[in-house]
Amino acid sequence: DGVFERVESGAADYGVLPIEHSTEGAVHHTLDQLIDSTLQICAQVLWRTETGHTSRSDSAPARFIILGRRASQQTGDDRSMLMVHARDKVGALLEVLKAFAGRGINVRQIENRPVAGDPGSNEARFFLEVNGHCEDESLKSAVSDLSALDASVKLLGSYPAPTWVEER
């Protein structure tokens, strides 16, 4: 919570947070904080950490996001993270995926999170990481297609495709 507060208040320009752990999956607390935040993911880092063994093959990847107040510039090899809020019904996820597939956009990762205050489970929330930048016409069109399906979309950030950072 403190990282979000410091960057939102201007006390820090950027914040680094874990978003995925190789053995435990998504870091739900980070995803949940992104729901209401105005901050943008402006970079992502894949960091290898040792699992207690000395061989390189035993290192585990621990994904971190860099939060700032705006998205990164287009590089030509970008990713974007979106939160899609849709009605929970048969085929809801399929409709979301078709919007991206129809525009030739690769959906790299999907996380499903419950919607707070929805005891009847009438709503679905998906976090998607896709290839492309928020300024790409194909991504803008896919978001428009989702809006036509009565889904709301929040851009969580666009950033250069990550590279591995080795812990030394």
Side-chain angles (χ1 to χ4, degrees), residues 61-75:
R63 266 177 84 194
F64 292 86
I65 55 173
I66 312 293
L67 288 178
R69 290 187 234 5
R70 63 178 180 261
S72 294
Q73 300 281 330
Q74 287 175 286
T75 67

Side-chain angles (χ1 to χ4, degrees), residues 13-49:
D13 291 328
Y14 300 99
V16 180
L17 290 163
I19 196 153
E20 182 180 26
H21 189 273
S22 62
T23 57
E24 297 182 26
V27 178
H28 294 139
H29 185 73
T30 300
L31 290 175
D32 292 344
Q33 290 292 324
L34 287 168
I35 293 168
D36 295 320
S37 178
T38 59
L39 299 177
Q40 294 279 302
I41 301 170
C42 55
Q44 188 179 140
V45 177
L46 303 175
W47 196 290
R48 289 191 194 272
T49 57

Side-chain angles (χ1 to χ4, degrees), residues 93-152:
L93 179 57
L94 180 61
E95 287 180 352
V96 169
L97 295 175
K98 279 184 174 181
F100 293 101
R103 301 293 179 173
I105 298 170
N106 184 28
V107 176
R108 304 182 55 80
Q109 187 168 6
I110 304 168
E111 285 292 329
N112 184 15
R113 293 292 298 144
V115 177
D118 182 30
S121 298
N122 296 319
E123 301 175 64
R125 180 179 291 143
F126 305 107
F127 289 87
L128 307 173
E129 184 180 48
V130 301
N131 282 2
H133 191 277
C134 64
E135 294 300 320
D136 295 346
E137 288 304 319
S138 58
L139 189 52
K140 288 180 180 179
S141 295
V143 168
S144 178
D145 293 348
L146 288 172
S147 296
L149 294 171
D150 202 26
S152 64

